[in-house]
Amino acid sequence: MTARHDRFIAMKLICLLLLWGVISGRAQDAAIQRSVDSLLSMMTLEEKCGQLNQIPANWKDGVSYLTDEGKEMVRRGQVGSLLNAAGASSIREIQRLTVEESRLGIPLIIGVDIIHGSRTIFPVPLAEASSWDPELVQKSARVAAVEASAAGIHWTFAPMVDIARDPRWGRIVEGSGEDPYLGSVMAAARVRGFQGTSLADPTSILACAKHFAAYGGAEAGRDYNIVDMSERTLREIYLPPFKAALDAGAGSFMSSFNEIAGVPSTGSKFLMTDVLRGEWGFKGFVVSDWTAIGELIPHGVAANRAEAGALAINAGVDIDMVSKIYMDELPALVRSGKVSPGTVDEAVRRVLRAKFRLGLFTDPYRGASTERERKSILSVDHVKAAREIGQRSIILLKNEESLLPISKQTKTIAVIGPLADNKDEPLGPWHAGGKAADVVTVLEGIKSQVSPQTRVLYVKGCEIEGDSGARFVEATLLAKQADVAIVALGESERMSGEAASRSNIDLPGVQRELLKQVLSTGTPTVLVLMNGRPLTIAWEAAHTPAILETWFLGVQTGNAIADVLFGDVNPSGKLPVSFPRSVGQVPIYYNYKSTGRPFDELNKYTSKYLDVTNTPLYPFGYGLSYTTFSYSELKLSSQKIPPGSDVSVTIRVTNTGRRKGEEIVQLYVRDVVASVTRPVKELKGFQRVTLDPGQQKTVTFTLKPDQLAFYGLDMKRVVEPGMFKVYVGGNSVDVVESEFELTDH
Ligand code: GLC
């Protein structure tokens, strides 16, 4: 028996003990560390650098595979991870080749962008954030993990936790909107869903918090553009969701393409080592974004690939996604002393530790099989979960004269628009293994729920973009025959997501004209929006009696929307992003600073525009219901709060309407005077409350001392005494107000 064989037996035994939970906690870490060190001691420098090299799988006829070159790299131990492979049988074959035909047989870790579902596609993350329901969001991520792991995937490049205040930026669709608190809650929920209670569980997949950091702050909303912000804004607004993901146990991070104030993230020691590992104690690994290490050259901070590789590895980026710089350049960099062997060893340890935690040394296949995959995807429970979160992701923006809900006995319903019977766009960007055939369209959803006597008429009316308007006449004729018109308008899924910034965020093409034609018939009209970002819909909002914001809801789009249209579900969604009146207002967000000349409608010499008011068309946290709610009796535990004490906040919420409904009660705080300027409002808590007609409930929040902290003049976290405003309401504008003084002793 070779020494290597004995060592592997020992490692397998340790992994089985880990899997059985016989050893846990510190003992587990120590056991893994011993196995990692033992394996590391057997590796050549080239094999170590190979563990830090990630290559993409190829695809042909819907099957992922490795090219001959890729197979040879794997056999030579030059590949540690693979991205974009999927399918249990093809992944099993790739892993077999790795463990049986390479010298040390170290299994690959296989990652895919499982962003909002694997085969059962859920609402896009921005839609899920609109539910303000972390339990449902966690469930969505759990379903995604169960389906992805069945297909042999070990790791997802999610959650994307980038704060976005600029709807021109297409990737706003992939995150949880503009607020650090909501973004943090959603980030943690997704990590818990993906990783489950143990990474050794074969249904768990490793999460990856991305894109570290501040990618959403791209200047002018233009993807990949520079980010130039203060460290205070970075820490107050953009970093909290990453810290929340880490605190929830995220096993990996992804470095972002952008620079921050002159330093590209992928070469930033401040971010990848000082903050992530030094301040936050992160023990996982960092993967670069796609070719981001090579992009340090066009960024202008590396003259060649070797310099780029040295900069990235020394900053703390462990895995090189696709640029092959670590494989090609790192061994020579170590031998020439430009990179210390210890730096490479530490990066390899982090990667190997993750592979041990995933149980890959126990079972490199983690039980993936075509049978398990077949049973898992699109199961009844998974599809039901997609419908449920779809329902809760829908936001009622307007409902004049209670046009909604409409009766299932309506005599004639006209369904119009390029998104009304569309199976492709509702999957949204980053739809992994999702298939258009799995999608229930708006038209199908409506038809499945109306009475047998109801006539449902349909016409597309126009394309999403371009179009001569030649079919307007047909749409108008149809609308004239109907008792109500449902007009489904919006964006194509490729108009948001990566490399999809828009300078004009109106409804594309001639869709507004189509809506005008339908409205001109006088038929009561409901606008159903399907889009990946806030749109400038001031005209639509002024002229349409009812509007639903549905984003892209995935496979259950039509059923979820019909559930709300016909009132089986009372909508409870709330905006996670502000809707601008004009793109000229962007960036626009609720937690803005007062300035020395705060906006005053009547005073020219205040911070404002000549041609549009400052307020958004629809504010952060906004969403209506088929019932109404009132807020009263806001009470605080005391008007004077000693330092270090909690503040209890209670509010009475009443259902003042005629239908049962759910309300997301939101708590905001303002630090009125501090040593640095503070936002006019900051979300500090929210709770869902369900009320029958006329029912009242008292909702209690506990404001913890640290929730009043901010980064002071010296950039250290501080809580300062003084006056604080407290606001509670159903959105960030319509609130009831109180205040307390935080005393200094
Ligand atoms: C892309 C994206 C990133 C994704 C990665 C792998 O460029 O920026 O979000 O995870 O490449 O597909």
Side-chain angles (χ1 to χ4, degrees):
M1 285 292 183
T2 63
R4 170 193 162 210
H5 182 74
D6 294 345
R7 281 200 184 101
F8 258 64
I9 294 298
M11 267 191 287
K12 277 187 184 290
L13 178 63
I14 285 169
C15 290
L16 284 172
L17 292 174
L18 296 178
L19 202 61
W20 294 329
V22 170
I23 50 175
S24 59
R26 297 173 68 85
Q28 186 181 67
D29 291 344
I32 289 179
Q33 200 50 54
R34 279 196 299 278
S35 303
V36 165
D37 289 339
S38 170
L39 188 49
L40 197 70
S41 68
M42 292 186 260
M43 297 170 75
T44 66
L45 177 57
E46 278 68 17
E47 287 167 335
K48 291 176 182 176
C49 297
Q51 280 301 305
L52 310 182
N53 181 42
Q54 180 177 109
I55 63 172
N58 293 71
W59 282 80
K60 189 173 178 208
D61 303 332
V63 177
S64 58
Y65 69 98
L66 279 187
T67 61
D68 291 344
E69 183 204 358
K71 288 177 185 170
E72 266 319 295
M73 287 170 66
V74 167
R75 289 190 182 99
R76 290 196 295 267
Q78 292 178 315
V79 183
S81 56
L82 185 66
L83 83 152
N84 295 347
S89 56
S90 63
I91 284 182
R92 286 188 70 94
E93 173 45 31
I94 292 168
Q95 195 73 300
R96 182 209 60 74
L97 179 138
T98 308
V99 297
E100 293 180 4
E101 299 182 22
S102 69
R103 187 176 80 88
L104 291 172
I106 300 173
L108 294 172
I109 180 170
I110 293 164
V112 173
D113 291 285
I114 306 294
I115 309 296
H116 53 104
S118 184
R119 171 66 188 274
T120 304
I121 300 303
F122 279 72
V124 291
L126 191 61
E128 291 192 337
S130 304
S131 72
W132 292 53
D133 188 329
E135 285 71 36
L136 276 188
V137 168
Q138 180 173 331
K139 188 175 175 183
S140 163
R142 184 89 289 266
V143 167
V146 167
E147 292 192 357
S149 57
I153 294 162
H154 313 134
W155 174 28
T156 177
F157 304 122
M160 187 275 213
V161 302
D162 298 304
I163 293 294
R165 296 170 145 177
D166 189 328
R168 293 171 295 182
W169 190 55
R171 304 201 76 166
I172 194 170
V173 70
E174 299 175 45
S176 297
E178 70 190 48
D179 178 67
Y181 181 86
L182 181 63
S184 298
V185 169
M186 293 303 166
R190 289 199 169 102
V191 169
R192 289 193 299 269
F194 288 135
Q195 298 197 162
T197 50
S198 162
L199 283 178
D201 177 335
T203 67
S204 297
I205 57 177
L206 193 71
C208 182
K210 73 183 187 182
H211 306 77
F212 196 55
Y215 183 24
E219 191 169 275
R222 201 175 75 231
D223 206 0
Y224 314 122
N225 199 7
I226 67 161
V227 171
D228 205 346
M229 63 177 65
S230 67
E231 185 181 337
R232 179 167 289 106
T233 299
L234 175 68
R235 288 182 178 275
E236 295 278 9
I237 304 295
Y238 291 85
L239 292 189
F242 286 100
K243 181 63 167 57
L246 184 150
D247 291 344
S252 67
F253 270 52
M254 181 184 289
S255 71
S256 62
F257 290 121
N258 58 284
E259 70 163 69
I260 301 176
V263 182
S265 302
T266 302
S268 170
K269 184 177 172 301
F270 166 72
L271 281 179
M272 304 304 159
T273 297
D274 301 347
V275 173
L276 187 57
R277 291 166 172 137
E279 290 181 32
W280 294 357
F282 180 56
K283 298 283 183 271
F285 66 80
V286 174
V287 60
S288 76
D289 203 339
W290 186 283
T291 69
I293 293 176
E295 292 173 19
L296 294 174
I297 299 170
H299 266 299
V301 293
N304 52 52
R305 288 165 58 83
E307 283 188 17
L311 189 57
I313 192 78
N314 286 328
V317 175
D318 303 306
I319 292 181
D320 168 9
M321 184 188 283
V322 172
S323 63
K324 289 189 191 160
I325 286 176
Y326 281 3
M327 183 185 83
D328 294 341
E329 306 294 343
L330 219 37
L333 285 165
V334 171
R335 292 192 172 100
S336 67
K338 289 184 183 142
V339 172
S340 85
T343 301
V344 171
D345 284 357
E346 196 42 44
V348 177
R349 282 195 184 91
R350 294 179 189 126
V351 174
L352 293 178
R353 206 159 38 232
K355 293 185 177 183
F356 273 103
R357 291 180 66 207
L358 281 164
L360 284 168
F361 286 97
T362 310
D363 173 11
Y365 310 101
R366 299 184 85 230
S369 71
T370 47
E371 180 56 20
R372 181 179 148 198
E373 189 177 0
R374 186 187 58 74
K375 279 185 186 159
S376 162
I377 59 177
L378 291 168
S379 71
V380 170
D381 288 346
H382 292 179
V383 172
K384 182 166 171 282
R387 181 170 184 165
E388 185 184 8
I389 194 164
Q391 294 162 349
R392 287 207 165 168
S393 301
I394 293 171
I395 300 160
L396 177 61
L397 295 178
K398 186 177 177 185
N399 191 21
E400 222 160 51
E401 295 168 16
S402 298
L403 171 57
L404 287 173
I406 51 182
S407 164
K408 293 181 181 180
Q409 279 67 46
T410 302
K411 194 160 162 291
T412 305
I413 300 175
V415 183
I416 299 168
L419 286 153
D421 196 29
N422 187 310
K423 286 186 173 288
D424 297 295
E425 313 309 344
L427 287 172
W430 296 108
H431 50 261
K435 298 187 185 323
D438 302 334
V439 171
V440 177
T441 69
V442 175
L443 179 64
E444 290 167 342
I446 289 170
K447 282 182 173 177
S448 72
Q449 296 200 18
V450 294
S451 74
Q453 293 72 35
T454 300
R455 242 179 4 132
V456 179
L457 309 174
Y458 164 69
V459 68
K460 192 173 188 179
C462 71
E463 300 304 324
I464 291 173
E465 49 187 336
D467 202 293
S468 65
R471 289 170 284 181
F472 286 175
V473 173
E474 190 187 2
T476 307
L477 287 174
L478 223 65
K480 280 179 180 164
Q481 300 171 53
D483 300 295
V484 64
I486 310 293
V487 184
L489 306 175
E491 295 180 310
S492 69
E493 59 95 3
R494 59 171 190 76
M495 291 178 175
S496 56
E498 184 174 359
S501 295
R502 291 181 64 202
S503 66
N504 172 337
I505 53 175
D506 291 347
L507 278 169
V510 297
Q511 297 184 74
R512 177 177 292 167
E513 285 314 305
L514 173 65
L515 179 61
K516 282 181 181 174
Q517 297 295 323
V518 171
L519 288 167
S520 68
T521 66
T523 299
T525 298
V526 180
L527 170 58
V528 174
L529 285 172
M530 298 164 80
N531 43 300
R533 57 163 55 80
L535 299 175
T536 35
I537 53 167
W539 187 91
E540 292 80 355
H543 297 86
T544 313
I547 303 176
L548 289 179
E549 174 54 78
T550 72
W551 312 110
F552 294 119
L553 296 177
V555 291
Q556 283 292 295
T557 290
N559 287 335
I561 290 172
D563 291 337
V564 170
L565 284 173
F566 295 114
D568 289 357
V569 169
N570 184 353
S572 60
K574 299 284 186 179
L575 286 175
V577 281
S578 307
F579 266 58
R581 298 174 190 277
S582 151
V583 71
Q585 290 178 295
V586 167
I588 183 169
Y589 43 91
Y590 86 95
N591 47 356
Y592 59 86
K593 300 291 190 71
S594 165
T595 78
R597 294 198 172 188
F599 171 65
D600 175 342
E601 200 75 68
L602 305 176
N603 180 346
K604 175 181 172 61
Y605 297 94
T606 60
S607 182
K608 62 196 294 191
Y609 303 95
L610 290 176
D611 53 357
V612 69
T613 183
N614 282 23
T615 57
L617 178 66
Y618 297 115
F620 174 81
Y622 175 85
L624 300 176
S625 168
Y626 291 153
T627 186
T628 51
F629 299 98
S630 71
Y631 288 77
S632 60
E633 300 189 36
L634 174 59
K635 291 187 181 125
L636 308 184
S637 44
S638 168
Q639 261 26 69
K640 287 196 178 297
I641 305 291
S645 306
D646 292 353
V647 186
S648 174
V649 180
T650 59
I651 184 82
R652 170 163 294 181
V653 186
T654 306
N655 180 339
T656 50
R658 293 196 301 271
R659 275 190 57 120
K660 180 175 181 180
E662 298 182 351
E663 173 72 326
I664 311 288
V665 182
Q666 301 155 43
L667 168 70
Y668 297 88
V669 166
R670 177 179 187 173
D671 189 344
V672 181
V673 177
S675 52
V676 297
T677 59
R678 306 291 301 122
V680 295
K681 278 196 187 85
E682 292 179 281
L683 181 69
K684 296 296 180 184
F686 59 87
Q687 290 183 44
R688 178 183 292 273
V689 61
T690 302
L691 294 168
D692 290 323
Q695 189 180 7
Q696 295 185 332
K697 279 186 182 173
T698 297
V699 176
T700 300
F701 294 95
T702 301
L703 205 48
K704 310 298 283 180
D706 182 60
Q707 288 188 282
L708 305 180
F710 60 93
Y711 286 90
L713 282 169
D714 59 0
M715 283 309 293
K716 295 219 179 348
R717 294 282 287 163
V718 64
V719 176
E720 294 178 348
M723 291 309 294
F724 286 81
K725 296 278 190 185
V726 173
Y727 308 99
V728 180
N731 62 66
S732 58
V733 172
D734 308 312
V735 290
V736 290
E737 175 181 330
S738 183
E739 64 182 23
F740 65 88
E741 179 188 0
L742 186 66
T743 60
D744 56 8
H745 60 276

